[in-house]
mmCIF file of all heavy atoms in Angstrom:
data_model
loop_
_atom_site.group_PDB
_atom_site.id
_atom_site.type_symbol
_atom_site.label_atom_id
_atom_site.label_comp_id
_atom_site.label_asym_id
_atom_site.label_seq_id
_atom_site.Cartn_x
_atom_site.Cartn_y
_atom_site.Cartn_z
ATOM 1 N N LEU A 87 -14.429 4.416 5.342
ATOM 2 C CA LEU A 87 -14.732 3.183 4.617
ATOM 3 C C LEU A 87 -15.780 3.480 3.560
ATOM 4 O O LEU A 87 -16.830 4.055 3.857
ATOM 5 C CB LEU A 87 -15.251 2.113 5.580
ATOM 6 C CG LEU A 87 -15.802 0.825 4.966
ATOM 7 C CD1 LEU A 87 -14.701 0.058 4.233
ATOM 8 C CD2 LEU A 87 -16.455 -0.041 6.042
ATOM 9 N N LYS A 88 -15.488 3.089 2.325
ATOM 10 C CA LYS A 88 -16.464 3.196 1.237
ATOM 11 C C LYS A 88 -16.897 1.792 0.858
ATOM 12 O O LYS A 88 -16.081 0.949 0.475
ATOM 13 C CB LYS A 88 -15.869 3.914 0.029
ATOM 14 C CG LYS A 88 -16.895 4.238 -1.052
ATOM 15 C CD LYS A 88 -16.235 4.873 -2.271
ATOM 16 C CE LYS A 88 -15.634 6.222 -1.947
ATOM 17 N NZ LYS A 88 -15.064 6.869 -3.163
ATOM 18 N N LEU A 89 -18.186 1.529 0.979
ATOM 19 C CA LEU A 89 -18.744 0.211 0.718
ATOM 20 C C LEU A 89 -19.027 0.021 -0.772
ATOM 21 O O LEU A 89 -19.107 0.999 -1.528
ATOM 22 C CB LEU A 89 -20.024 0.037 1.527
ATOM 23 C CG LEU A 89 -19.842 0.157 3.046
ATOM 24 C CD1 LEU A 89 -21.188 0.277 3.727
ATOM 25 C CD2 LEU A 89 -19.067 -1.019 3.601
ATOM 26 N N PRO A 90 -19.194 -1.208 -1.231
ATOM 27 C CA PRO A 90 -19.435 -1.459 -2.657
ATOM 28 C C PRO A 90 -20.645 -0.690 -3.184
ATOM 29 O O PRO A 90 -21.687 -0.605 -2.529
ATOM 30 C CB PRO A 90 -19.692 -2.977 -2.702
ATOM 31 C CG PRO A 90 -18.953 -3.512 -1.531
ATOM 32 C CD PRO A 90 -19.079 -2.469 -0.465
ATOM 33 N N ASN A 91 -20.462 -0.115 -4.371
ATOM 34 C CA ASN A 91 -21.519 0.616 -5.079
ATOM 35 C C ASN A 91 -22.011 1.845 -4.326
ATOM 36 O O ASN A 91 -23.110 2.338 -4.591
ATOM 37 C CB ASN A 91 -22.699 -0.312 -5.390
ATOM 38 C CG ASN A 91 -22.275 -1.543 -6.175
ATOM 39 O OD1 ASN A 91 -21.631 -1.439 -7.209
ATOM 40 N ND2 ASN A 91 -22.621 -2.714 -5.659
ATOM 41 N N GLN A 92 -21.208 2.351 -3.381
ATOM 42 C CA GLN A 92 -21.557 3.573 -2.659
ATOM 43 C C GLN A 92 -20.621 4.697 -3.109
ATOM 44 O O GLN A 92 -19.453 4.463 -3.410
ATOM 45 C CB GLN A 92 -21.427 3.368 -1.146
ATOM 46 C CG GLN A 92 -22.233 2.191 -0.613
ATOM 47 C CD GLN A 92 -23.724 2.368 -0.807
ATOM 48 O OE1 GLN A 92 -24.304 3.344 -0.358
ATOM 49 N NE2 GLN A 92 -24.346 1.411 -1.482
ATOM 50 N N LYS A 93 -21.114 5.911 -3.149
ATOM 51 C CA LYS A 93 -20.319 7.048 -3.618
ATOM 52 C C LYS A 93 -19.579 7.752 -2.484
ATOM 53 O O LYS A 93 -18.564 8.394 -2.717
ATOM 54 C CB LYS A 93 -21.225 8.038 -4.345
ATOM 55 C CG LYS A 93 -21.802 7.502 -5.647
ATOM 56 C CD LYS A 93 -22.651 8.553 -6.349
ATOM 57 C CE LYS A 93 -23.203 8.010 -7.658
ATOM 58 N NZ LYS A 93 -24.037 9.022 -8.373
ATOM 59 N N LYS A 94 -20.103 7.647 -1.272
ATOM 60 C CA LYS A 94 -19.524 8.388 -0.153
ATOM 61 C C LYS A 94 -18.914 7.455 0.885
ATOM 62 O O LYS A 94 -19.359 6.328 1.070
ATOM 63 C CB LYS A 94 -20.604 9.251 0.514
ATOM 64 C CG LYS A 94 -21.146 10.353 -0.375
ATOM 65 C CD LYS A 94 -22.162 11.198 0.379
ATOM 66 C CE LYS A 94 -22.690 12.325 -0.505
ATOM 67 N NZ LYS A 94 -23.682 13.169 0.221
ATOM 68 N N TYR A 95 -17.900 7.983 1.544
ATOM 69 C CA TYR A 95 -17.296 7.269 2.665
ATOM 70 C C TYR A 95 -18.188 7.380 3.902
ATOM 71 O O TYR A 95 -18.954 8.339 4.053
ATOM 72 C CB TYR A 95 -15.945 7.889 3.023
ATOM 73 C CG TYR A 95 -14.791 7.502 2.123
ATOM 74 C CD1 TYR A 95 -14.313 8.396 1.168
ATOM 75 C CD2 TYR A 95 -14.155 6.277 2.248
ATOM 76 C CE1 TYR A 95 -13.236 8.069 0.353
ATOM 77 C CE2 TYR A 95 -13.084 5.936 1.447
ATOM 78 C CZ TYR A 95 -12.622 6.835 0.502
ATOM 79 O OH TYR A 95 -11.563 6.500 -0.289
ATOM 80 N N ILE A 96 -18.055 6.405 4.777
ATOM 81 C CA ILE A 96 -18.601 6.518 6.124
ATOM 82 C C ILE A 96 -17.426 6.495 7.087
ATOM 83 O O ILE A 96 -16.372 5.921 6.805
ATOM 84 C CB ILE A 96 -19.584 5.372 6.448
ATOM 85 C CG1 ILE A 96 -18.893 4.002 6.311
ATOM 86 C CG2 ILE A 96 -20.817 5.452 5.565
ATOM 87 C CD1 ILE A 96 -19.757 2.833 6.774
ATOM 88 N N ASN A 97 -17.582 7.153 8.232
ATOM 89 C CA ASN A 97 -16.545 7.122 9.251
ATOM 90 C C ASN A 97 -16.693 5.862 10.090
ATOM 91 O O ASN A 97 -17.802 5.483 10.462
ATOM 92 C CB ASN A 97 -16.637 8.352 10.151
ATOM 93 C CG ASN A 97 -16.225 9.622 9.444
ATOM 94 O OD1 ASN A 97 -15.335 9.614 8.598
ATOM 95 N ND2 ASN A 97 -16.877 10.716 9.773
ATOM 96 N N VAL A 98 -15.583 5.225 10.375
ATOM 97 C CA VAL A 98 -15.572 4.025 11.211
ATOM 98 C C VAL A 98 -14.657 4.291 12.400
ATOM 99 O O VAL A 98 -13.478 4.598 12.226
ATOM 100 C CB VAL A 98 -15.074 2.793 10.430
ATOM 101 C CG1 VAL A 98 -14.959 1.585 11.354
ATOM 102 C CG2 VAL A 98 -15.999 2.491 9.260
ATOM 103 N N ASN A 99 -15.218 4.178 13.596
ATOM 104 C CA ASN A 99 -14.445 4.354 14.830
ATOM 105 C C ASN A 99 -14.070 2.985 15.368
ATOM 106 O O ASN A 99 -14.937 2.125 15.544
ATOM 107 C CB ASN A 99 -15.267 5.124 15.870
ATOM 108 C CG ASN A 99 -15.665 6.500 15.378
ATOM 109 O OD1 ASN A 99 -14.847 7.232 14.855
ATOM 110 N ND2 ASN A 99 -16.934 6.834 15.538
ATOM 111 N N GLY A 100 -12.789 2.797 15.630
ATOM 112 C CA GLY A 100 -12.314 1.491 16.040
ATOM 113 C C GLY A 100 -11.906 1.412 17.496
ATOM 114 O O GLY A 100 -11.805 2.417 18.205
#
Side-chain angles (χ1 to χ4, degrees):
L87 172 64
K88 189 184 295 183
L89 300 167
N91 304 307
Q92 305 297 303
K93 293 182 179 180
K94 295 183 179 180
Y95 281 104
I96 58 173
N97 289 326
V98 175
N99 300 313

